[in-house]
Amino acid sequence: MRELIRAAGPIMQAVWAALLLCALLALVLGRFSLAFVSLATLALSLTPPLLARWFNLRLPFPFLLATTLFVFASLVLGELFDFYDRLWWWDLALHGSAAVGFGLFGFLFVLMLFEGDRFAAPPSAIAFLAFCLAMMVGALWEIFEYGMDQGFGLNMQKSGLHDTMGDLILNALGGIAASAAGYLYLRYERAGFLGRGLEQFIALNRKYFRKARARLKR
């Protein structure tokens, strides 16, 4: 864990320390809901680097920061400070950005699988599988929201079915955008801002992508 924290850099260390301090202060003051949300935010923001370490991956700093900010915006700002009710676009912005992130994650994951000579597929097939994986992750998030509402009395689902279906539609649109970016990156080696994010991740984990690009561009 110490090595993980040191590798994250000073900015992420400061963010995690602030979340831990907030949780401790909330416990002392008896603000148990704030303490729970702060600890949940800390745990969820630590999950990507822990999983990356488990699978021997290196994560770009923008990815770490983006995931932490997303969880903070969703649980702390959204739930504790009622941004979901105060700003009508808050839920749409979070789910839209998360959907793109899910799609990029799905694309990179599928691309790593195809690097190992066990599979062979064109960029369109990689993009389609990435979209499917993005939809799966989005559905799991909706299950998480349901569990938080039922188990801890939150209101993450808002209007119930309509909110869930709207989130899934946004997830599909974000998955399409990310899959399209991945397709363009493989076919033409460019996809704008999203393509640069893919390129940065691939550069940090080049051993998993040595053969994929050459094969998939045929």
Side-chain angles (χ1 to χ4, degrees):
M1 179 63 74
R2 289 182 179 178
E3 295 179 1
L4 175 66
I5 294 176
R6 284 198 297 267
I11 295 179
M12 291 307 304
Q13 292 173 11
V15 172
W16 292 335
L19 289 171
L20 181 59
L21 179 61
C22 180
L24 294 176
L25 289 175
L27 288 174
V28 172
L29 297 175
R31 300 279 304 278
F32 298 113
S33 60
L34 176 59
F36 169 77
V37 170
S38 298
L39 289 175
T41 302
L42 177 61
L44 290 173
S45 64
L46 284 170
T47 299
L50 286 173
L51 290 176
R53 185 174 180 82
W54 180 269
F55 291 105
N56 195 26
L57 294 171
R58 297 178 61 192
L59 298 178
F61 169 76
F63 177 85
L64 288 174
L65 184 61
T67 54
T68 301
L69 290 177
F70 170 78
V71 175
F72 180 83
S74 178
L75 295 182
V76 178
L77 297 180
E79 296 299 330
L80 289 181
F81 293 94
D82 296 325
F83 273 41
Y84 287 122
D85 295 325
R86 295 180 182 181
L87 303 173
W88 64 268
W89 49 266
W90 192 255
D91 186 59
L92 298 177
L94 287 181
H95 278 279
S97 59
V100 174
F102 291 156
L104 294 177
F105 164 78
F107 176 81
L108 290 169
F109 178 76
V110 174
L111 186 59
M112 281 192 289
L113 293 181
F114 277 81
E115 193 276 339
D117 286 336
R118 292 176 297 167
F119 308 96
S124 57
I126 298 290
F128 174 73
L129 291 175
F131 170 78
C132 293
L133 186 57
M135 289 300 297
M136 182 194 74
V137 176
L140 290 176
W141 178 261
E142 293 303 316
I143 294 174
F144 168 76
E145 286 190 345
Y146 175 79
M148 295 293 288
D149 289 353
Q150 297 299 313
F152 299 99
L154 299 180
N155 188 28
M156 298 184 72
Q157 288 188 296
K158 309 308 174 193
S159 58
L161 178 62
H162 292 293
D163 179 80
T164 299
M165 293 307 301
D167 292 344
L168 289 176
I169 292 172
L170 279 174
N171 190 74
L173 294 175
I176 291 173
S179 298
Y183 175 86
L184 293 174
Y185 176 77
L186 285 178
R187 180 63 71 181
Y188 304 109
E189 295 189 1
R190 64 176 183 271
F193 173 76
L194 297 180
R196 288 194 296 272
L198 294 173
E199 190 171 39
Q200 186 178 11
F201 182 92
I202 291 173
L204 289 174
N205 301 277
R206 195 170 297 278
K207 62 182 178 180
Y208 296 107
F209 299 95
R210 285 192 298 262
K211 305 171 186 176
R213 186 186 300 179
R215 184 193 315 122
L216 294 174
K217 286 176 65 178
R218 290 183 304 181

Coordinates of all heavy atoms in Angstrom, one line a residue, residues 135-216:
M135 N -21.5 -1.3 -21.7 CA -22.9 -1.4 -21.2 C -23.0 -2.3 -20.0 O -23.8 -2.0 -19.1 CB -23.7 -2.0 -22.4 CG -24.0 -1.1 -23.5 SD -24.8 0.4 -23.0 CE -26.4 -0.2 -22.5
M136 N -22.2 -3.3 -19.9 CA -22.2 -4.2 -18.7 C -21.8 -3.4 -17.5 O -22.4 -3.5 -16.4 CB -21.2 -5.4 -18.9 CG -21.2 -6.3 -17.7 SD -19.8 -7.5 -17.8 CE -18.5 -6.4 -17.3
V137 N -20.7 -2.6 -17.6 CA -20.2 -1.8 -16.4 C -21.3 -0.8 -16.0 O -21.6 -0.6 -14.8 CB -18.9 -1.1 -16.8 CG1 -18.5 -0.2 -15.6 CG2 -17.8 -2.2 -17.0
G138 N -22.0 -0.2 -17.0 CA -23.0 0.8 -16.7 C -24.2 0.1 -16.0 O -24.8 0.7 -15.0
A139 N -24.5 -1.1 -16.4 CA -25.6 -1.9 -15.7 C -25.2 -2.2 -14.3 O -26.0 -2.1 -13.3 CB -25.9 -3.1 -16.5
L140 N -23.9 -2.6 -14.1 CA -23.5 -2.8 -12.7 C -23.5 -1.6 -11.8 O -23.8 -1.7 -10.6 CB -22.0 -3.4 -12.8 CG -21.9 -4.8 -13.3 CD1 -20.4 -5.2 -13.4 CD2 -22.6 -5.8 -12.5
W141 N -23.2 -0.4 -12.4 CA -23.3 0.8 -11.6 C -24.8 1.1 -11.2 O -25.0 1.5 -10.1 CB -22.8 2.0 -12.5 CG -23.0 3.3 -11.7 CD1 -23.9 4.2 -11.9 CD2 -22.1 3.8 -10.7 NE1 -23.7 5.3 -11.0 CE2 -22.6 5.0 -10.2 CE3 -20.9 3.2 -10.1 CZ2 -22.0 5.7 -9.2 CZ3 -20.3 4.0 -9.1 CH2 -20.9 5.2 -8.7
E142 N -25.7 0.8 -12.1 CA -27.1 0.9 -11.7 C -27.5 0.0 -10.6 O -28.3 0.4 -9.7 CB -28.0 0.7 -12.9 CG -27.9 1.7 -14.0 CD -28.2 3.1 -13.6 OE1 -29.1 3.3 -12.8 OE2 -27.4 4.0 -13.9
I143 N -27.0 -1.2 -10.6 CA -27.2 -2.1 -9.4 C -26.6 -1.6 -8.2 O -27.2 -1.6 -7.1 CB -26.6 -3.5 -9.8 CG1 -27.4 -4.2 -10.9 CG2 -26.6 -4.4 -8.5 CD1 -26.8 -5.5 -11.4
F144 N -25.4 -0.9 -8.3 CA -24.8 -0.3 -7.1 C -25.7 0.8 -6.6 O -25.9 0.9 -5.4 CB -23.4 0.2 -7.5 CG -22.8 1.2 -6.5 CD1 -22.2 0.6 -5.4 CD2 -22.8 2.5 -6.7 CE1 -21.7 1.5 -4.4 CE2 -22.2 3.4 -5.8 CZ -21.7 2.9 -4.6
E145 N -26.2 1.7 -7.5 CA -27.1 2.7 -7.0 C -28.3 2.2 -6.3 O -28.7 2.7 -5.3 CB -27.5 3.6 -8.2 CG -26.5 4.5 -8.8 CD -27.0 5.5 -9.8 OE1 -28.2 5.2 -10.3 OE2 -26.4 6.5 -10.1
Y146 N -28.9 1.1 -6.8 CA -30.0 0.5 -6.2 C -29.7 0.0 -4.8 O -30.4 0.1 -3.8 CB -30.6 -0.7 -7.1 CG -31.7 -1.4 -6.5 CD1 -33.0 -1.0 -6.5 CD2 -31.5 -2.7 -5.8 CE1 -34.0 -1.7 -5.9 CE2 -32.5 -3.4 -5.3 CZ -33.8 -2.9 -5.3 OH -34.8 -3.6 -4.7
G147 N -28.5 -0.7 -4.7 CA -28.1 -1.2 -3.4 C -27.9 -0.1 -2.4 O -28.2 -0.3 -1.2
M148 N -27.3 1.0 -2.8 CA -27.0 2.1 -1.9 C -28.4 2.7 -1.4 O -28.5 3.1 -0.3 CB -26.2 3.2 -2.6 CG -24.8 2.7 -3.0 SD -23.8 2.4 -1.5 CE -23.5 4.1 -0.9
D149 N -29.3 2.8 -2.4 CA -30.6 3.4 -2.0 C -31.3 2.5 -1.0 O -31.9 2.9 0.0 CB -31.5 3.6 -3.2 CG -31.0 4.7 -4.1 OD1 -30.1 5.4 -3.6 OD2 -31.5 4.9 -5.2
Q150 N -31.3 1.2 -1.3 CA -32.0 0.2 -0.4 C -31.3 0.0 0.9 O -32.0 -0.2 2.0 CB -32.2 -1.1 -1.1 CG -33.0 -1.0 -2.4 CD -34.4 -0.5 -2.1 OE1 -35.1 -1.0 -1.2 NE2 -34.9 0.4 -2.9
G151 N -30.0 0.0 0.9 CA -29.2 -0.4 2.1 C -28.9 0.8 3.0 O -28.8 0.6 4.2
F152 N -28.8 2.0 2.4 CA -28.3 3.1 3.2 C -29.2 4.3 3.1 O -28.9 5.4 3.6 CB -26.9 3.5 2.8 CG -25.9 2.4 3.0 CD1 -25.5 1.6 1.9 CD2 -25.3 2.2 4.2 CE1 -24.6 0.6 2.1 CE2 -24.4 1.1 4.4 CZ -24.0 0.4 3.3
G153 N -30.4 4.2 2.5 CA -31.4 5.2 2.5 C -31.0 6.4 1.6 O -31.5 7.5 1.9
L154 N -30.1 6.2 0.7 CA -29.8 7.3 -0.2 C -30.9 7.4 -1.3 O -31.9 6.7 -1.3 CB -28.4 7.1 -0.9 CG -27.3 7.0 0.1 CD1 -25.9 6.8 -0.6 CD2 -27.1 8.3 1.0
N155 N -30.7 8.3 -2.2 CA -31.6 8.5 -3.3 C -30.9 8.7 -4.7 O -31.0 9.6 -5.4 CB -32.5 9.8 -3.1 CG -33.6 9.9 -4.1 OD1 -34.1 8.9 -4.7 ND2 -34.0 11.1 -4.4
M156 N -30.0 7.7 -4.9 CA -29.2 7.8 -6.1 C -30.0 7.5 -7.4 O -29.6 8.0 -8.5 CB -28.0 6.8 -6.0 CG -27.1 7.1 -4.9 SD -25.6 6.0 -4.8 CE -24.7 6.6 -6.2
Q157 N -31.1 6.8 -7.3 CA -31.9 6.5 -8.5 C -32.9 7.5 -8.8 O -33.5 7.5 -9.8 CB -32.6 5.1 -8.3 CG -31.6 3.9 -8.4 CD -32.4 2.6 -8.4 OE1 -33.0 2.3 -7.4 NE2 -32.3 1.9 -9.5
K158 N -33.1 8.5 -7.9 CA -34.0 9.6 -8.1 C -35.4 9.1 -8.4 O -36.1 8.6 -7.6 CB -33.5 10.5 -9.2 CG -32.1 11.0 -9.0 CD -31.9 11.6 -7.6 CE -30.4 11.9 -7.3 NZ -30.2 12.1 -5.9
S159 N -35.8 9.2 -9.7 CA -37.2 8.8 -10.1 C -37.3 7.3 -10.4 O -38.3 6.9 -11.1 CB -37.6 9.7 -11.3 OG -36.7 9.5 -12.4
G160 N -36.4 6.5 -10.0 CA -36.6 5.1 -10.2 C -36.3 4.6 -11.6 O -35.2 4.8 -12.2
L161 N -37.3 4.0 -12.2 CA -37.2 3.4 -13.6 C -36.7 4.4 -14.6 O -35.9 4.2 -15.4 CB -38.5 2.8 -14.0 CG -38.5 2.1 -15.4 CD1 -37.4 1.0 -15.5 CD2 -39.9 1.6 -15.7
H162 N -37.4 5.6 -14.6 CA -37.0 6.6 -15.6 C -35.6 7.1 -15.5 O -34.9 7.3 -16.5 CB -37.9 7.9 -15.4 CG -39.4 7.6 -15.8 ND1 -39.8 7.3 -17.1 CD2 -40.5 7.5 -15.0 CE1 -41.1 7.1 -17.1 NE2 -41.5 7.2 -15.8
D163 N -35.1 7.2 -14.2 CA -33.7 7.6 -14.0 C -32.8 6.5 -14.5 O -31.7 6.8 -15.2 CB -33.4 7.9 -12.5 CG -32.0 8.3 -12.3 OD1 -31.6 9.4 -12.5 OD2 -31.2 7.4 -11.8
T164 N -33.1 5.3 -14.2 CA -32.3 4.1 -14.6 C -32.2 4.0 -16.1 O -31.1 3.8 -16.6 CB -32.8 2.8 -14.0 OG1 -32.8 2.9 -12.5 CG2 -32.0 1.6 -14.4
M165 N -33.3 4.1 -16.8 CA -33.3 4.0 -18.2 C -32.6 5.2 -18.9 O -31.9 5.0 -19.9 CB -34.8 3.9 -18.7 CG -35.5 2.6 -18.3 SD -34.6 1.1 -18.7 CE -34.4 1.3 -20.5
G166 N -32.8 6.4 -18.3 CA -32.0 7.5 -18.8 C -30.5 7.3 -18.7 O -29.8 7.6 -19.6
D167 N -30.1 6.8 -17.5 CA -28.7 6.5 -17.3 C -28.2 5.5 -18.3 O -27.0 5.6 -18.8 CB -28.5 6.1 -15.9 CG -28.7 7.2 -14.9 OD1 -28.8 8.3 -15.3 OD2 -28.9 6.8 -13.7
L168 N -28.9 4.5 -18.6 CA -28.5 3.4 -19.5 C -28.4 4.0 -20.9 O -27.5 3.6 -21.7 CB -29.4 2.2 -19.4 CG -29.4 1.4 -18.1 CD1 -30.4 0.3 -18.2 CD2 -28.0 0.8 -18.0
I169 N -29.3 4.8 -21.3 CA -29.3 5.4 -22.6 C -28.0 6.3 -22.7 O -27.3 6.2 -23.8 CB -30.5 6.3 -22.9 CG1 -31.8 5.3 -23.0 CG2 -30.4 7.1 -24.2 CD1 -33.1 6.1 -23.1
L170 N -27.7 7.1 -21.7 CA -26.5 7.9 -21.7 C -25.3 7.0 -21.8 O -24.3 7.3 -22.4 CB -26.4 8.8 -20.5 CG -27.2 10.1 -20.5 CD1 -27.2 10.7 -19.1 CD2 -26.7 11.0 -21.6
N171 N -25.3 5.9 -21.0 CA -24.2 5.0 -21.1 C -24.0 4.4 -22.5 O -22.8 4.2 -22.9 CB -24.5 3.8 -20.1 CG -23.2 2.9 -19.9 OD1 -22.3 3.3 -19.2 ND2 -23.3 1.8 -20.5
A172 N -25.1 4.1 -23.2 CA -25.0 3.6 -24.5 C -24.3 4.6 -25.4 O -23.4 4.3 -26.3 CB -26.3 3.2 -25.1
L173 N -24.8 5.9 -25.3 CA -24.2 7.0 -26.1 C -22.7 7.2 -25.8 O -21.9 7.3 -26.7 CB -24.9 8.3 -25.9 CG -26.4 8.3 -26.4 CD1 -27.1 9.6 -26.0 CD2 -26.5 8.1 -27.9
G174 N -22.3 7.1 -24.5 CA -20.9 7.3 -24.2 C -20.1 6.1 -24.7 O -19.0 6.3 -25.1
G175 N -20.7 4.9 -24.6 CA -20.0 3.7 -25.1 C -19.8 3.8 -26.6 O -18.7 3.4 -27.1
I176 N -20.7 4.3 -27.3 CA -20.6 4.4 -28.7 C -19.5 5.4 -29.0 O -18.6 5.2 -29.9 CB -21.9 4.9 -29.4 CG1 -22.9 3.8 -29.3 CG2 -21.7 5.4 -30.8 CD1 -24.3 4.2 -29.8
A177 N -19.4 6.6 -28.3 CA -18.4 7.6 -28.5 C -17.0 7.0 -28.3 O -16.1 7.2 -29.0 CB -18.7 8.8 -27.6
A178 N -16.9 6.3 -27.1 CA -15.6 5.7 -26.8 C -15.2 4.6 -27.8 O -14.0 4.5 -28.2 CB -15.6 5.2 -25.4
S179 N -16.1 3.8 -28.2 CA -15.8 2.7 -29.1 C -15.4 3.3 -30.5 O -14.5 2.8 -31.2 CB -17.0 1.8 -29.3 OG -17.3 1.2 -28.1
A180 N -16.1 4.4 -30.9 CA -15.7 5.1 -32.1 C -14.3 5.7 -32.1 O -13.6 5.6 -33.0 CB -16.8 6.2 -32.5
A181 N -14.0 6.2 -30.9 CA -12.6 6.8 -30.7 C -11.6 5.7 -30.8 O -10.5 5.8 -31.4 CB -12.5 7.5 -29.4
G182 N -11.9 4.5 -30.2 CA -11.0 3.4 -30.3 C -10.8 2.9 -31.7 O -9.7 2.6 -32.1
Y183 N -11.9 2.8 -32.4 CA -11.9 2.4 -33.8 C -11.0 3.3 -34.7 O -10.1 2.9 -35.4 CB -13.3 2.3 -34.4 CG -13.3 2.0 -35.9 CD1 -13.3 0.6 -36.3 CD2 -13.4 3.0 -36.8 CE1 -13.3 0.3 -37.7 CE2 -13.4 2.7 -38.2 CZ -13.3 1.4 -38.6 OH -13.3 1.1 -39.9
L184 N -11.2 4.6 -34.5 CA -10.4 5.6 -35.3 C -9.0 5.5 -34.9 O -8.1 5.7 -35.7 CB -11.0 7.0 -35.0 CG -12.4 7.3 -35.6 CD1 -12.9 8.6 -35.2 CD2 -12.4 7.1 -37.1
Y185 N -8.7 5.3 -33.6 CA -7.3 5.2 -33.2 C -6.6 4.0 -33.8 O -5.5 4.1 -34.2 CB -7.3 5.1 -31.6 CG -5.9 4.9 -31.1 CD1 -5.0 6.0 -31.0 CD2 -5.4 3.6 -30.7 CE1 -3.7 5.8 -30.6 CE2 -4.2 3.4 -30.2 CZ -3.3 4.5 -30.2 OH -2.0 4.3 -29.7
L186 N -7.3 2.9 -33.8 CA -6.7 1.7 -34.4 C -6.5 1.8 -36.0 O -5.5 1.4 -36.5 CB -7.5 0.4 -34.1 CG -7.4 -0.1 -32.7 CD1 -8.3 -1.3 -32.5 CD2 -6.0 -0.5 -32.4
R187 N -7.5 2.4 -36.6 CA -7.6 2.4 -38.1 C -6.7 3.6 -38.6 O -6.0 3.4 -39.6 CB -9.0 2.6 -38.5 CG -9.1 2.7 -40.0 CD -8.7 1.4 -40.7 NE -9.6 0.3 -40.5 CZ -9.5 -0.9 -40.9 NH1 -8.4 -1.2 -41.6 NH2 -10.4 -1.9 -40.7
Y188 N -6.7 4.7 -37.9 CA -6.1 5.9 -38.5 C -5.0 6.5 -37.5 O -4.4 7.5 -37.8 CB -7.1 7.0 -38.8 CG -8.1 6.5 -39.8 CD1 -9.5 6.3 -39.4 CD2 -7.8 6.2 -41.1 CE1 -10.4 5.8 -40.2 CE2 -8.8 5.7 -42.0 CZ -10.1 5.5 -41.5 OH -11.0 5.1 -42.4
E189 N -4.9 5.9 -36.3 CA -3.9 6.4 -35.3 C -4.2 7.8 -34.9 O -3.3 8.6 -34.5 CB -2.5 6.3 -35.8 CG -2.0 4.8 -36.0 CD -0.5 4.8 -36.3 OE1 0.1 5.8 -36.3 OE2 -0.1 3.6 -36.5
R190 N -5.5 8.2 -34.8 CA -5.9 9.4 -34.3 C -7.4 9.4 -33.9 O -8.2 8.7 -34.6 CB -5.6 10.6 -35.3 CG -6.5 10.5 -36.6 CD -6.2 11.7 -37.4 NE -7.1 11.7 -38.6 CZ -6.7 11.2 -39.8 NH1 -5.6 10.6 -39.9 NH2 -7.6 11.2 -40.8
A191 N -7.7 10.1 -32.8 CA -9.1 10.1 -32.4 C -9.3 11.3 -31.4 O -10.0 11.2 -30.5 CB -9.5 8.8 -31.7
G192 N -8.5 12.4 -31.7 CA -8.7 13.6 -30.9 C -8.2 13.4 -29.4 O -7.3 12.6 -29.1
F193 N -8.9 14.0 -28.5 CA -8.6 14.0 -27.1 C -8.7 12.6 -26.5 O -7.8 12.1 -25.8 CB -9.5 14.9 -26.3 CG -9.4 14.8 -24.8 CD1 -8.3 15.4 -24.2 CD2 -10.3 14.1 -24.1 CE1 -8.2 15.4 -22.8 CE2 -10.2 14.0 -22.7 CZ -9.1 14.7 -22.1
L194 N -9.7 11.8 -26.9 CA -9.8 10.5 -26.4 C -8.7 9.6 -26.9 O -8.2 8.7 -26.2 CB -11.2 9.9 -26.8 CG -12.4 10.6 -26.2 CD1 -13.7 9.9 -26.7 CD2 -12.4 10.6 -24.7
G195 N -8.3 9.8 -28.2 CA -7.3 9.0 -28.7 C -5.9 9.2 -28.0 O -5.2 8.3 -27.8
R196 N -5.7 10.5 -27.6 CA -4.5 10.7 -26.8 C -4.5 10.0 -25.5 O -3.4 9.6 -25.0 CB -4.3 12.3 -26.6 CG -3.9 13.0 -27.9 CD -3.5 14.4 -27.6 NE -4.5 15.2 -27.0 CZ -5.4 15.9 -27.7 NH1 -5.3 15.9 -29.1 NH2 -6.3 16.7 -27.1
G197 N -5.7 9.9 -24.9 CA -5.8 9.2 -23.6 C -5.5 7.7 -23.8 O -4.8 7.1 -23.0
L198 N -6.0 7.1 -24.9 CA -5.7 5.7 -25.2 C -4.2 5.5 -25.5 O -3.6 4.6 -25.0 CB -6.5 5.3 -26.5 CG -8.0 5.2 -26.3 CD1 -8.6 4.9 -27.7 CD2 -8.4 4.1 -25.3
E199 N -3.6 6.5 -26.2 CA -2.2 6.4 -26.5 C -1.3 6.4 -25.3 O -0.3 5.7 -25.2 CB -1.8 7.5 -27.5 CG -0.4 7.3 -28.1 CD -0.2 8.3 -29.2 OE1 -0.6 9.5 -29.1 OE2 0.5 7.9 -30.2
Q200 N -1.7 7.3 -24.3 CA -0.9 7.4 -23.1 C -1.0 6.1 -22.3 O 0.0 5.7 -21.8 CB -1.5 8.6 -22.3 CG -0.6 8.9 -21.0 CD -1.2 10.1 -20.3 OE1 -2.3 10.6 -20.5 NE2 -0.4 10.6 -19.3
F201 N -2.2 5.5 -22.2 CA -2.3 4.3 -21.5 C -1.5 3.2 -22.1 O -0.8 2.4 -21.5 CB -3.7 3.8 -21.4 CG -4.0 2.6 -20.6 CD1 -4.2 2.6 -19.2 CD2 -3.9 1.3 -21.2 CE1 -4.4 1.5 -18.5 CE2 -4.1 0.2 -20.5 CZ -4.3 0.2 -19.1
I202 N -1.6 3.1 -23.4 CA -0.8 2.0 -24.2 C 0.7 2.2 -24.0 O 1.4 1.3 -23.9 CB -1.3 2.1 -25.7 CG1 -2.7 1.6 -25.8 CG2 -0.3 1.2 -26.5 CD1 -3.3 1.7 -27.2
A203 N 1.1 3.5 -24.0 CA 2.6 3.8 -23.9 C 3.1 3.3 -22.5 O 4.2 2.8 -22.4 CB 2.8 5.3 -24.1
L204 N 2.3 3.5 -21.5 CA 2.7 3.1 -20.2 C 2.6 1.6 -20.0 O 3.3 1.0 -19.1 CB 1.8 3.7 -19.1 CG 2.0 5.2 -18.9 CD1 0.9 5.8 -17.9 CD2 3.4 5.5 -18.4
N205 N 1.9 0.9 -20.8 CA 1.7 -0.6 -20.7 C 2.0 -1.3 -22.0 O 1.3 -2.1 -22.5 CB 0.3 -0.9 -20.2 CG -0.1 -0.3 -18.9 OD1 0.3 -0.8 -17.8 ND2 -0.7 0.9 -18.9
R206 N 3.1 -0.9 -22.6 CA 3.4 -1.3 -24.0 C 3.5 -2.8 -24.1 O 3.3 -3.4 -25.2 CB 4.7 -0.6 -24.4 CG 4.9 -0.7 -25.9 CD 6.1 0.2 -26.4 NE 5.8 1.6 -26.1 CZ 5.1 2.4 -26.9 NH1 4.6 1.8 -28.0 NH2 4.9 3.6 -26.6
K207 N 4.0 -3.5 -23.0 CA 4.2 -4.9 -23.1 C 2.9 -5.7 -23.4 O 2.9 -6.8 -23.9 CB 4.8 -5.5 -21.9 CG 3.9 -5.3 -20.6 CD 4.7 -5.8 -19.4 CE 3.8 -5.6 -18.1 NZ 4.5 -6.0 -16.9
Y208 N 1.7 -5.1 -23.1 CA 0.4 -5.7 -23.4 C -0.1 -5.4 -24.8 O -1.1 -6.0 -25.2 CB -0.6 -5.3 -22.4 CG -0.3 -5.7 -21.0 CD1 0.2 -4.8 -20.0 CD2 -0.4 -7.1 -20.6 CE1 0.5 -5.2 -18.7 CE2 -0.1 -7.5 -19.3 CZ 0.4 -6.5 -18.4 OH 0.7 -6.9 -17.1
F209 N 0.5 -4.5 -25.5 CA 0.0 -4.0 -26.8 C 1.0 -4.2 -27.9 O 0.9 -3.5 -28.9 CB -0.4 -2.6 -26.7 CG -1.5 -2.4 -25.6 CD1 -1.2 -2.0 -24.4 CD2 -2.8 -2.5 -26.0 CE1 -2.2 -1.8 -23.4 CE2 -3.8 -2.3 -25.0 CZ -3.5 -1.9 -23.8
R210 N 2.0 -5.0 -27.8 CA 3.1 -5.1 -28.7 C 2.6 -5.5 -30.1 O 3.1 -4.9 -31.1 CB 4.2 -6.1 -28.3 CG 5.1 -5.6 -27.2 CD 6.3 -6.5 -27.0 NE 5.8 -7.8 -26.6 CZ 5.8 -8.3 -25.4 NH1 6.2 -7.5 -24.4 NH2 5.5 -9.5 -25.1
K211 N 1.7 -6.4 -30.2 CA 1.3 -7.0 -31.5 C -0.1 -6.5 -32.0 O -0.4 -6.7 -33.1 CB 1.3 -8.5 -31.4 CG 2.6 -9.1 -31.0 CD 2.5 -10.6 -30.7 CE 3.7 -11.2 -30.1 NZ 3.6 -12.6 -29.8
A212 N -0.9 -5.9 -31.1 CA -2.3 -5.7 -31.4 C -2.4 -4.7 -32.5 O -3.2 -4.9 -33.5 CB -3.0 -5.2 -30.1
R213 N -1.7 -3.6 -32.5 CA -2.0 -2.5 -33.5 C -1.6 -3.0 -34.9 O -2.3 -2.8 -35.8 CB -1.1 -1.3 -33.1 CG -1.5 -0.1 -34.0 CD -0.6 1.1 -33.8 NE -0.7 1.5 -32.4 CZ 0.0 2.6 -31.9 NH1 0.9 3.2 -32.7 NH2 -0.1 3.0 -30.7
A214 N -0.5 -3.7 -35.0 CA 0.0 -4.1 -36.3 C -1.0 -5.1 -36.9 O -1.3 -5.1 -38.1 CB 1.3 -4.7 -36.2
R215 N -1.6 -6.0 -36.0 CA -2.5 -7.0 -36.6 C -3.9 -6.4 -36.9 O -4.5 -6.7 -37.9 CB -2.7 -8.1 -35.5 CG -3.5 -9.3 -36.0 CD -4.0 -10.2 -34.9 NE -2.9 -10.5 -34.0 CZ -2.9 -10.3 -32.7 NH1 -3.9 -9.7 -32.2 NH2 -1.9 -10.6 -32.0
L216 N -4.4 -5.6 -36.0 CA -5.7 -5.1 -36.2 C -5.9 -4.1 -37.3 O -7.0 -3.9 -37.8 CB -6.2 -4.5 -34.9 CG -6.3 -5.4 -33.7 CD1 -6.7 -4.7 -32.4 CD2 -7.4 -6.5 -34.0

